[in-house]
């Protein structure tokens, strides 16, 4: 009743109010409304926000901000506002005392307002104390107050100007003051405060500007603009990025999740205990080894209670829920605002229809439309920001938790999750959660949008809406089926792709052999065959994609058509007017999005739930019990083990039984025994890596551990040794000296600062083992556990290490040492020896005691020692061991190959290396420097700056210009049809209504349908054209790439990492196959959509031509800024992602070492830092996306504003249909603009693939494969005479000659041996003969033809080589012998018989079709060599070159090969590069090379008499 009192007191009735407010040229609110509602709105807002905001501030304390002038001003103004309000109140009281009675609100409103101002002042201070630098709540409050006050202010001015009205002077003055103060407050609120005292930002070199930015800057993402400008001027680098906000760092996020998970996990641990044992079994539960079967029984007895599983979802929700919940509100607000557009459009069309409506209403609607659109933009992007940040935090938390868990899980748990799986958990599954965070709200939002849209449509068109909805619902399963199909095609394509990459890998690894045999063409065919299969599948998925595009583009049209058709046909009196048609179109456009999103969201949720389960399983693995081994002070001895039994996991049988021993302090203990008797397990047990079943173990003090497989980190050598301890120069030097690392450090390129690759690839096995040992020695622990560290090193080094480090006189002589060993010769020096067999200690005692006992040990010793003694003397044992230990042998080989590429000294052995290297160090350094610089540029080409237009042109040419222009033409047709159909609709809606019906309904409907169908045909056409064109392009580009790579010279492969090449064939080709075509489709689509919308707006209101170009410029400007920065941020993000995974991989491999040294904390910290580094690049890229979107949507909103505004201005000339058309198009333009920028930047990122594939087309090529004019006769070479005339050769332009002035004539049928020391140029001679390297001077002439003049294949087919390393390719044996299928089966069998392989091959189940594995792994090395011999026998050419295999072949095979060659190649010329001189002693002549020149030449006997180089070499090999 009091309210009624208000209204009547101000003397107005509701009917007149509307006339005053709405149906008038000059609108105004009634006095009463002004003084009540408008005053109370801000107050209600602030009081509603206050409790929530107050609690929020209490929980989030950011530190204390000092009083500043800004703050003082705000507070003072707040107080003055309060005084002004209450001045009004007291004035009212004063009036009452004067007996002037006013309406009650003159008392109530100032009171409420005054109290609110006090609250505002309190909040200003409270925010300062809690460290809020800029407050959204307050800014909005001042804004609302000001808006309400403006309305009142306007009406007061109108009243004052309206002469004759009495003016209340005092209230006017107070109100003006109030108004001005509000304005000042709002302006002040836009400036942020200083940062709080003691906050992190003070010490931070590059703090993130987000929190010190003002509220306005934060909602429009203005604060990132600085970074954008910087990124536009020059490519960003890692150092330009800001630090993460404190609440996004790992150290803040991960512990929270870990805590919550621990709580949840503890629950599951607590609960099952109640139910595991039923009452009658209760007494059993005291047994330490609760029997497993009994637990099972108990579970069966009491099934009533559900087993409680730890729910990871609950934990994630607890950790991230509160922050994420804010997004609900934003999303809901945005969804409601979305429907404001169509509703306002309805009012606008009505306004245009109603010629009598006052003008201001049109402007009011326009303003409302613009404000709604802007609010929608701001709210939507706040929502996205919250979602993305939550996603980012989720990923950080999950990676952190997985890492921490991986450090504590038991070994049995490690077996169930492989390294790859765990890394997948970190990468794939964490990524899924990130993606889900942005989608998950669609679960409730999509149905909400659909229901709202349907409700509004029903209001508009009645039941005929159902026709449209039916069409939409029908399209959903069609899309689902297509998605399923696409998935199966993708799988098939992946399979082909994997096969192709595998083959490419082999080709690149065996490229030298391919070139020597001239087999490139055969392998090209093989690759293209696989590629053909792949393209077939691609073609199928292209048809599918075309269908999908067709349904997606035509859906809105079909829906509209069906709805309008039903609506018009149901009832003659149903008139389709502008309002109905265009509002419905706008609503259908809204509907389209949620319906398409829902299937995506559901599949995304299903994927995430699978990931959730995998994560939960991993996080629920058993953990090591830290208390099973007591690390503490003991009185008697340094290690005490009392009848302890250990197993590898809880349910395994024990692998160590009743172990008892005590190790006194400072003693040296050996553990010996057969392979697999539990020696290493014993050490693991002492480290606490095994599950202790019973017993008691104490280890005194800290432990250092050297594992059997050395574990090396990807860090510098120095960091590997120091391992997180502080640096002590003298100690470090001593350790390196003792561990025999000095010579190695001298060899390494930058000494001990050399970066060691992943898994220590650039160290040999022995070096790794010594580094691992040095790490243990440096850390200066109390107890040392060595797991056979001497097996991987050479004999003399082993001896040195034992004496200097482990033995009684070594650095560690006062420590407790336990050494597992196989080397018998060190045993006499041990204090105690433990002999193990089958997991038990069978004997223990000193060397002498054990010999006296004459037990198993003595026996073992006798057999072992005798063998070893005899071998030791000949020094052969370590060679045997070397070959057996894979670590030692292969890295050596690698080093030799590496140097082969670097300089002309072909192999490098540590003994002879020094003297030879003096000469070529200059050469070594030159290529080294070059190689590095080259590698860097290789990795970074085509990575910066914009993509050139030529690349697009190249791509169009690859598609084929006809198809390119056809698809552009079809795009045009589609959009013209689409515009025409909508224009036709607008004409239809403007048809006059006669007697309640429109006349040409059928014609209108028919044309509308026809236009729609033509649109559909065009869509299908361009979709097909683009997809098929894309396939043509990828076929063409791949063929070119393959051809160009195979045509490249050998030097290209030597200096290009094969990873780069494989990457081109997998990643880039894949992008061209499956990423670029859809992006082109979307890019073209959005381009034409935007253009179309602009055309329509121009048609309706030509004056818009003034506005569109400037907005276009703004748009382009923003887009260029964004693309430059975003591209670089993406790169930085992906560059910083791999260290996270590689560090993780490394940790998993070395987890026992990390635990033994108790370095977990440091590694966790390192992991956190790496994750944070990655998120540092990811966070700005999220914000950059939001920045862009907000800017673009404002451009779009301006277009909406002007379209509506010009429509209102020109409303007398315009028909409602045109207005509806132009505004409904402008409403869509924001989405299109956003899409367009996304797509153009995607296109730019992906088109780089074309550039990188084309790159190899410009590389240098080797000579032509075959030249028609100079092709030699088919029988050439007939006699096989080879002449070298003044021949010289160099590996690269800037290097010295490797061979100089070689003049030799070799007659047909001669057998020539070529010998010389390492690096003398023997292999270079053969490379020259095959033109792998072209001559630098002189020429080689075979049977009178200069080989430089003919095609490479012509040459290489006629000369045969048996290469040094026998390389086979995966495929059938037949393919390996005769890839071109030139020979019959009999020929092949005959060659196999001569190569002594016939028995072996005929015994195989598939005979000649036997599949060779990659690199021929499933044949022995000797067999592979014989296969190479069979190849040569098949070719049967006049000239045979043997690059004699040293390591590969045992003596027996060697003899076989030699005898075969003697018998089969009787009349051929044979050149043999010999390493074993005994093979060439019966040759006709021997060439001796030294430093690239022929120094001796003659028959072997003559040369031996000359006593020159040849003689000394023969002497070395014991032939003379």
């Amino acid at each position: 009743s009091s309210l009624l009192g208000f209204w009547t007191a101000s003397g107005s009735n509701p009917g007149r109010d509307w006339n005053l407010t709405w149906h008038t040229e000059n609108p105004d609110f009634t006095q009463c409304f002004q003084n009540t509602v408008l005053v109370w709105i801000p107050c209600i807002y602030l009081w509603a926000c206050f409790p929530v905001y107050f609690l929020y501030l209490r929980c989030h304390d950011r530190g204390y901000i000092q009083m500043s002038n800004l703050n003082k001003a705000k507070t003072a103004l707040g107080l003055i506002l309060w005084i002004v309000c209450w001045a009004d109140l007291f004035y009212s009281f004063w009036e009452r005392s004067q007996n002037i009675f006013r309406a009650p609100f003159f008392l109530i409103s100032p009171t409420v307002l005054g109290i609110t101002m006090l609250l505002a002042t309190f909040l200003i201070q409270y925010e300062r104390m809690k460290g809020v630098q800029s407050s959204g709540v307050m800014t909005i409050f001042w804004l609302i107050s000001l808006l309400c006050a403006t309305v009142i202010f306007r009406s007061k001015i109108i009243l004052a100007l309206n002469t004759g009205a009495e003016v209340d002077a005092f209230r006017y003055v107070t109100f003006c003051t109030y108004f001005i103060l509000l304005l000042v407050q709002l302006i002040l609120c836009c400036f942020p405060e200083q940062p709080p005292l003691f906050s992190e930002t003070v010490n931070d070199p590059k703090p993130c500007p987000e929190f010190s930015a003002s509220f306005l800057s934060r909602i429009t993402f203005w604060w990132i603009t600085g970074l954008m400008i910087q990124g536009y001027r020059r490519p960003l680098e890692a150092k330009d990025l800001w630090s993460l906000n404190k609440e996004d760092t790992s150290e803040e996020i991960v512990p929270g999740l870990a805590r919550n998970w621990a709580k949840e996990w503890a629950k599951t641990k607590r609960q099952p205990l109640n139910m595991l044992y039923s009452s009658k079994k209760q007494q059993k539960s005291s047994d330490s080894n609760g029997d497993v079967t009994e637990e099972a029984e108990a579970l069966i007895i009491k099934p009533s209670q559900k087993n409680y599983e730890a729910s990871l979802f609950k934990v994630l929700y607890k950790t991230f829920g509160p922050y994420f919940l804010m997004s609900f509100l934003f999303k809901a607000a945005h969804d409601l605002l979305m429907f404001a557009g169509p509703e306002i459009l309805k009012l606008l069309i009505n306004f245009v229809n109603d010629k009598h409506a006052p003008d201001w209403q049109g402007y009011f609607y326009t303003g409302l439309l613009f404000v709604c659109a802007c609010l929608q933009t701001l709210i939507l992007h706040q929502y996205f920001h919250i979602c993305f940040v939550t996603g980012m935090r989720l990923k950080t938390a999950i990676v952190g938790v997985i890492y921490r868990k991986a450090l504590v899980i038991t070994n049995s748990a490690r077996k169930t999750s492989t390294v790859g799986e765990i890394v997948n958990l970190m990468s794939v599954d964490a990524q899924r959660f990130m993606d889900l965070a942005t989608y998950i709200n669609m679960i409730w939002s999509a149905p909400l949008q659909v229901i709202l849209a349907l409700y509004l449509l029903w209001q508009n068109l009645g039941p005929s809406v159902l026709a449209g909805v039916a069409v939409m619902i029908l399209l959903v399963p069609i899309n689902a089926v297509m998605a399923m199909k696409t998935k199966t095609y993708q799988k098939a394509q992946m399979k082909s792709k994997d096969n192709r990459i595998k083959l490419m890998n082999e080709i690149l690894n065996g490229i030298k052999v391919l070139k020597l045999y001239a087999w490139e063409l055969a392998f090209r065919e093989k690759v293209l065959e696989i590629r053909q299969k792949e393209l077939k599948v691609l073609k199928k998925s292209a048809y599918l994609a075309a269908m999908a595009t067709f349904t997606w583009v035509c859906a809105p049209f079909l829906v509209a058509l069906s709805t309008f058709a039903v609506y018009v046909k149901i009832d003659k009196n149903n008139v389709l007017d502008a309002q109905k048609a265009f509002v419905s179109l706008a609503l259908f456009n809204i509907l389209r999005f949620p319906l398409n999103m829902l299937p995506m969201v559901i599949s995304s949720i299903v994927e995430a739930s699978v990931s959730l389960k995998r994560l939960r399983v991993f996080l629920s693995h058993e953990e090591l019990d830290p208390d099973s081994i007591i690390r503490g002070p003991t009185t008697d001895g340094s290690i005490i083990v009392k009848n302890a039994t250990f197993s590898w996991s809880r349910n395994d049988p024990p692998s160590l039984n009743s172990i008892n021993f005590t190790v006194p302090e400072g003693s040296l203990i050996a553990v010996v025994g057969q392979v697999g008797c539990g020696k290493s397990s014993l050490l693991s047990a002492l480290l606490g890596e095994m599950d202790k079943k019973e017993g008691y173990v104490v280890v005194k003090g800290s432990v250092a551990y050297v594992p059997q497989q050395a574990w090396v980190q990807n860090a510098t050598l120095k960091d590997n040794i120091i391992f997180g301890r502080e640096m002590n120069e003298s100690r470090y030097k001593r350790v390196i000296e003792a561990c025999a690392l000095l010579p190695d450090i001298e060899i390494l390129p930058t000494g001990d600062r050399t970066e060691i690759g992943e898994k220590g690839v650039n160290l040999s096995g022995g070096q790794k083992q010594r580094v691992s040992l040095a790490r243990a020695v440096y850390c200066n622990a109390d107890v040392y556990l060595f797991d056979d560290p001497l097996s991987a090193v050479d004999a003399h080094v082993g001896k040195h290490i034992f004496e200097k480090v482990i033995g009684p006189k070594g650095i560690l002589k006062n420590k407790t040492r336990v050494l597992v060993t196989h080397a018998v010769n060190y045993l006499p020096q041990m204090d105690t020896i433990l002999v193990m067999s089958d997991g038990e200690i069978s004997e223990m005692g000193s060397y002498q005691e054990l010999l006296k006992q004459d037990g198993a040990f003595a026996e073992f010793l006798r057999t072992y020692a005798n063998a070893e003694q005899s071998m030791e003397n000949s020094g052969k044992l370590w060679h045997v061991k070397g070959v057996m230990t894979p670590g030692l042998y292969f890295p050596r080989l690698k080093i030799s190959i590496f140097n082969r590429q670097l300089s002309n000294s072909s192999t490098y052995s540590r003994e002879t290396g020094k003297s030879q290297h003096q000469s070529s160090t200059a050469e070594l350094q030159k290529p080294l420097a070059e190689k590095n610089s080259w590698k860097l540029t290789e990795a970074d080409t085509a990575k910066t700056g914009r993509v050139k237009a030529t690349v697009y042109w190249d791509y169009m040419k690859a598609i084929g210009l006809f198809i390119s222009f056809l698809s552009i033409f079809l795009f045009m047709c589609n959009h013209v049809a689409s515009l025409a159909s909508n224009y036709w609709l607008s004409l239809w809606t403007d048809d006059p209504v006669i007697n309640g019906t429109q006349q040409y309904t059928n014609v209108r409907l028919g044309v509308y349908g026809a236009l729609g169908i033509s649109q559909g045909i065009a869509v299908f056409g361009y979709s097909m054209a683009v997809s098929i064109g894309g396939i043509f392009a990828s076929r063409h580009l791949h063929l070119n790439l393959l051809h160009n790579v195979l045509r490249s010279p050998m030097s290209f492969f030597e200096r290009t990492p094969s990873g780069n090449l494989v990457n081109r064939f997998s990643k880039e080709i894949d992008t061209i196959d499956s990423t670029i075509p859809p992006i082109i489709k979307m890019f073209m689509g959005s381009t034409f959509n935007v253009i179309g919308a602009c055309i329509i707006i121009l048609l309706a209101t030509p004056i818009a031509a003034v506005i569109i170009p400037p907005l276009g410029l703004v748009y382009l400007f923003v887009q260029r800024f964004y693309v430059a920065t975003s591209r670089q941020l993406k790169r930085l993000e992906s560059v910083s992602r791999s260290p996270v995974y590689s560090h993780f991989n490394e940790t998993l491999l070395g987890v026992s070492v990390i635990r033994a040294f108790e370095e977990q904390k440091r590694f966790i910290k390192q992991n956190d830092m790496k994750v944070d580094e990655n998120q540092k690049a990811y966070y700005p890229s999220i914000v950059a996306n939001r920045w862009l979107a907000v800017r673009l949507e404002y451009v779009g909103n301006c277009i909406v504003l002007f379209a509506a505004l010009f429509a209102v201005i020109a409303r007398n000339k315009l028909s409602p249909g045109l207005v509806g058309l132009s505004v409904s198009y402008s409403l869509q333009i924001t989405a299109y603009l956003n899409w367009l920028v996304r797509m153009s930047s995607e296109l730019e990122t992906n088109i780089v693939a074309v550039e990188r594939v084309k790159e190899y087309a410009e590389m240098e090529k080797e000579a032509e494969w075959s030249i028609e004019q100079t092709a030699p006769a088919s029988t050439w070479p007939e006699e096989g005479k080879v002449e070298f005339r003044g021949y010289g050769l160099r590996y690269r332009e800037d290097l010295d000659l490797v061979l100089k002035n070689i003049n030799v004539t070799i007659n047909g049928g001669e057998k020539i041996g070529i010998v010389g020391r390492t690096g003398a140029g023997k292999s270079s001679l053969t490379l020259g003969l095959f033109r792998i390297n072209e001559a630098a001077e002189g020429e080689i002439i075979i049977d009178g033809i200069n080989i430089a003049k003919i095609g490479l294949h012509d040459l290489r087919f006629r000369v045969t080589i048996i290469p040094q390393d026998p390389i086979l390719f995966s495929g059938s044996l037949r393919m390996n012998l005769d890839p071109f299928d030139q020979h019959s089966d009999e020929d092949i069998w005959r060659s196999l018989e001569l190569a002594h392989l016939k028995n072996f091959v005929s015994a195989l189940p598939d005979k000649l079709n036997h599949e060779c594995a990659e690199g021929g792994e499933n044949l022995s090395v000797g067999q592979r060599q014989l296969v190479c011999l069979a190849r040569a026998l098949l070719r049967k050419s006049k000239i045979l070159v043997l690059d004699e295999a040293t390591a590969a072949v045992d003596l027996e095979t060697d003899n076989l090969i030699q005898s075969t060659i003697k018998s089969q190649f009787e009349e051929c010329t044979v050149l043999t590069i010999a390493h074993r001189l005994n093979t060439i002693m019966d040759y006709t002549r021997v060439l001796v090379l030294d430093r690239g020149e022929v120094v001796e030449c003659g028959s072997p006997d003559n040369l031996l008499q000359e006593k020159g180089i040849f003689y000394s070499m023969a002497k070395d090999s014991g032939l003379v």
Side-chain angles (χ1 to χ4, degrees), residues 754-803:
T754 305
E755 182 96 8
I756 291 169
E758 276 174 56
K759 301 195 189 129
V761 285
N762 46 356
L763 297 180
S764 70
Q767 286 168 327
K768 276 193 277 199
Q769 195 65 64
R770 294 201 296 279
V771 169
S772 170
L773 187 70
R775 173 192 303 148
V777 178
Y778 183 84
C779 94
N780 200 11
D782 304 323
V783 177
Y784 281 83
L785 306 175
F786 298 109
D787 196 347
D788 206 5
L790 301 177
S791 62
V793 297
D794 306 358
H796 55 281
V797 183
K799 208 162 170 187
H800 170 96
I801 287 177
F802 188 78
E803 283 167 10

Side-chain angles (χ1 to χ4, degrees), residues 489 535-545 1031:
Y489 286 150
L535 288 174
K536 223 188 209 145
V537 177
L538 266 176
K539 209 172 247 171
K540 280 185 192 160
S541 39
Y543 295 141
L544 258 186
I1031 289 174

Side-chain angles (χ1 to χ4, degrees), residues 776 912 1046 1190:
T912 58
L1046 290 175
V1190 170

Side-chain angles (χ1 to χ4, degrees), residues 1428-1448:
C1428 291
L1429 176 65
R1431 281 180 193 161
L1433 290 163
L1434 256 186
R1435 275 215 176 160
K1436 206 61 174 131
S1437 58
K1438 272 288 183 207
I1439 301 174
L1440 174 71
V1441 180
L1442 268 180
D1443 196 340
E1444 192 190 80
T1446 39

Side-chain angles (χ1 to χ4, degrees), residues 961-1025:
L961 293 181
F962 172 69
I963 292 189
S964 303
F965 288 116
L966 175 71
S967 50
I968 291 174
F969 173 69
L970 285 168
F971 262 113
M972 305 271 289
C973 293
N974 162 39
H975 283 280
V976 167
S978 149
L979 292 179
S981 67
N982 280 336
Y983 187 64
W984 184 258
L985 187 64
S986 85
L987 292 178
W988 177 3
T989 56
D990 289 337
D991 275 356
V993 179
I994 302 167
N995 305 333
T997 61
Q998 286 169 321
Q999 276 169 318
Y1000 315 111
T1001 311
N1002 290 346
V1003 179
R1004 292 293 190 193
L1005 193 59
V1007 173
Y1008 187 59
L1011 281 170
I1013 290 165
S1014 59
Q1015 180 186 347
I1017 293 169
V1019 169
F1020 192 68
Y1022 81 67
S1023 204
M1024 285 302 294

Side-chain angles (χ1 to χ4, degrees), residues 480-548:
V481 169
M482 285 201 222
M484 297 294 292
K485 266 282 201 245
T486 314
K487 228 177 188 129
T488 51
Y489 286 150
Q490 257 175 339
K491 276 192 184 131
Q493 188 202 338
M494 287 305 283
K495 211 166 146 195
S496 297
K497 190 176 130 191
D498 290 346
N499 288 337
R500 192 184 85 232
I501 299 307
K502 195 174 130 222
L503 183 60
M504 276 316 301
N505 232 334
E506 282 190 60
I507 290 179
L508 294 174
N509 289 338
I511 189 79
K512 189 163 179 184
V513 176
L514 282 193
K515 290 209 170 297
L516 290 170
Y517 284 129
W519 278 0
E520 293 103 333
L521 288 171
F523 278 85
R524 195 179 109 181
E525 287 316 302
K526 277 189 73 173
V527 176
L528 292 179
E529 197 182 306
I530 298 179
R531 179 75 180 150
Q532 206 46 49
K533 268 189 213 150
E534 203 179 342
L535 288 174
K536 223 188 209 145
V537 177
L538 266 176
K539 209 172 247 171
K540 280 185 192 160
S541 39
Y543 295 141
L544 258 186
M547 285 296 299

